[in-house]
Amino acid sequence: MADSNFIDYVKIYCRSGKGGRGSTHFRREKYIPKGGPDGGDGGDGGHVILRANRNLWTLLHLRYQRHILAGHGEGGTGRLSSGKKGETKIIEVPMGTVAYDAETGEYLCDVTEDGQEVILLKGGKGGRGNNHFKTPTNQAPRYAQPGEPYEERRVILELKVLADVGLVGFPNAGKSTLLSVVSAAKPKIANYPFTTLEPKIGIVSYRDYKSFVMADIPGIIEGASEGKGLGLRFLRHIERNSLLLFLIAADADDIHHEYRVLLNELAQYNPELLDKRRVLAISKSDMLDEELMEALEADLPEIPHIFISSITGYNITALKDLLWRELNADGEYQKSFNITHRNLDIKSVEFDEEDEVVIPEDDDIEEDWDEEDDDFDPDFYYGEDTEDEK
């Protein structure tokens, strides 16, 4: 993973900002000897926010920015002046990114639409100044509220590629060749296993200026759901596909058997994948004559299927028509990338030593207080009832 420009797992440390402390200042001006409390509120701490960005396709940029620290809120001052709010940190990620707790694997949130924002960690609320606690019986309150503390956690970000159609098949089934023919994508193509080492995305142009997104998922092998080959690393990308296009070569020993093996690997990884619409394409059909096609037809699974050849262009247009019909089978097509997220199995995620993150030393800001703040009561916490609130 370290040498690739496509990074779909990163571990980062996030910390929101703590709230600023309220002030216990008193108004003191010439001819106003007893001006009363005028301590301002502390500023709120900054949030840590996850934001989806359609222009990003990888988490590579976060390998070099693994400590995300929001700003602390500043303390309030006299004359009812509130402290400045802490800077909010926004983590830009590709659409389809999921966040997990790095210690427990607990699912936290995900973002699937461009511009969608989710607060990953909330900043602490600023404390109220002593002006809020003035009562008829206590005209000069000498206490204020402390700001709420910050939140922190190590987070694993996992990218699950968003695509309308996901290509599923064994290595050398012709997935990369098909993607290069139906879109402008230029994946690496060669006649050896695992030519594709990372998902490739292509925009497939259709009639009347319509289009859909197709993803070439690295080849699955039997046992992929148990971590063999590139299995666990890329099976998760299939979870986001609206339609699965199974691609099996015409020269396979048993097309029906290969289809069942692929289906079983998906079921073992996530049973929800069996609920997705499926289409079967028999690739490399330029090697077949009509008699052989008819013979194979009798043994094909009972799902929409088609014989194609990416080299000669045979039935490529018909394949697009079939895919579009299936994408619109329930009426006008609407993208739906929602899935039921399970907690992450931490043991199945492999990181290099350099990917480990440490908690940085506290970088608390220096805060200037009035001398009256020496009487601040640290046991008075935010939200406690006071006489003037009753």
Side-chain angles (χ1 to χ4, degrees):
M1 248 177 17
D3 297 329
S4 175
N5 288 326
F6 180 81
I7 301 297
D8 49 8
Y9 266 120
V10 293
K11 185 188 294 185
I12 60 177
Y13 168 80
C14 300
R15 191 209 64 195
S16 63
K18 68 179 181 180
R21 177 179 170 184
S23 170
T24 57
H25 190 270
F26 291 87
R27 183 181 179 191
R28 288 188 174 85
E29 296 182 25
K30 192 174 183 180
Y31 308 121
I32 307 179
K34 296 181 180 179
D38 69 346
D41 300 339
D44 295 339
H47 302 315
V48 176
I49 294 177
L50 203 65
R51 177 195 288 166
N53 185 334
R54 66 186 303 173
N55 297 316
L56 295 176
W57 294 94
T58 173
L59 297 171
L60 178 65
H61 60 293
L62 291 175
R63 284 182 62 89
Y64 311 104
Q65 187 186 3
R66 294 207 295 269
H67 292 87
I68 311 297
L69 310 177
H72 297 314
E74 294 182 2
T77 56
R79 298 187 179 182
L80 302 179
S81 296
S82 298
K84 184 179 178 181
K85 292 183 178 181
E87 179 187 5
T88 288
K89 288 291 186 179
I90 296 179
I91 308 173
E92 301 272 0
V93 295
M95 296 185 297
T97 299
V98 188
Y100 301 92
D101 186 292
E103 305 296 332
T104 65
E106 176 190 1
Y107 163 74
L108 300 177
C109 65
D110 71 332
V111 287
T112 58
E113 298 179 5
D114 183 42
Q116 179 185 355
E117 294 185 352
V118 177
I119 297 178
L120 202 56
L121 295 176
K122 289 185 177 181
K125 192 172 181 63
R128 291 187 293 179
N130 64 341
N131 173 67
H132 291 278
F133 306 107
K134 180 175 63 175
T135 68
T137 58
N138 185 7
Q139 295 290 320
R142 300 182 63 83
Y143 51 78
Q145 292 176 330
E148 291 181 348
Y150 55 72
E151 297 179 358
E152 64 179 339
R153 72 188 338 154
R154 290 184 179 90
V155 175
I156 288 177
L157 297 179
E158 175 191 70
L159 174 59
K160 297 181 179 182
V161 169
L162 300 183
D164 302 307
V165 178
L167 288 169
V168 180
F170 288 108
N172 284 339
K175 300 186 301 300
S176 297
T177 304
L178 175 61
L179 184 65
S180 69
V181 169
V182 298
S183 74
K186 302 300 178 186
K188 183 178 179 182
I189 301 172
N191 189 29
Y192 57 87
F194 300 120
T195 301
T196 302
L197 298 178
E198 59 190 54
K200 298 292 184 183
I201 303 292
I203 307 297
V204 181
S205 297
Y206 191 59
R207 308 174 193 272
D208 301 324
Y209 303 103
K210 298 183 178 71
S211 65
F212 55 89
V213 180
M214 181 179 288
D216 174 16
I217 309 298
I220 300 174
I221 63 173
E222 190 166 5
S225 59
E226 301 172 359
K228 294 182 180 178
L230 301 174
L232 289 179
R233 181 176 170 188
F234 293 114
L235 274 170
R236 65 179 173 277
H237 294 298
I238 299 174
E239 292 182 301
R240 295 289 198 184
N241 304 150
S242 298
L243 170 70
L244 302 182
L245 174 57
F246 288 78
L247 207 64
I248 299 177
D251 58 353
D253 294 334
D254 188 333
I255 292 176
H256 202 284
H257 173 72
E258 287 200 6
Y259 172 73
R260 289 198 303 269
V261 171
L262 291 170
L263 211 57
N264 180 65
E265 292 304 321
L266 300 187
Q268 292 294 323
Y269 178 73
N270 184 353
E272 285 187 32
L273 296 178
L274 299 185
D275 297 331
K276 294 182 179 293
R277 292 188 177 277
R278 303 190 293 272
V279 170
L280 173 63
I282 309 303
S283 63
K284 306 179 183 180
S285 294
D286 52 294
M287 298 185 297
L288 306 175
D289 56 27
E290 290 187 9
E291 186 177 345
L292 281 173
M293 287 187 190
E294 291 177 1
L296 291 174
E297 180 88 29
D299 194 40
L300 293 181
E302 295 182 358
I303 63 171
H305 55 265
I306 188 171
F307 291 87
I308 65 168
S309 172
S310 300
I311 300 299
T312 65
Y314 174 68
N315 266 351
I316 295 300
T317 299
L319 174 63
K320 291 183 183 181
D321 290 337
L322 175 58
L323 294 175
W324 188 256
R325 286 198 304 272
E326 290 300 313
L327 286 171
N328 289 271
D330 296 324
E332 186 176 353
Y333 178 59
Q334 294 182 346
K335 294 176 182 291
S336 177
F337 301 120
N338 295 324
I339 58 175
T340 301
H341 291 286
R342 301 165 294 170
N343 290 338
L344 186 66
D345 180 5
I346 299 296
K347 295 180 181 179
S348 70
V349 184
E350 296 183 2
F351 287 103
D352 299 330
E353 291 184 5
E354 64 185 43
D355 290 320
E356 193 56 53
V357 292
V358 297
I359 298 178
E361 295 183 4
D362 196 6
D363 61 342
D364 289 347
I365 59 176
E366 294 184 2
E367 298 165 317
D368 295 325
W369 305 109
D370 300 305
E371 59 183 12
E372 289 82 4
D373 284 326
D374 293 339
D375 292 333
F376 172 72
D377 180 7
D379 294 326
F380 189 87
Y381 289 102
Y382 195 89
E384 188 168 325
D385 291 336
T386 59
E387 289 187 26
D388 61 326
E389 294 176 325
K390 294 179 180 178

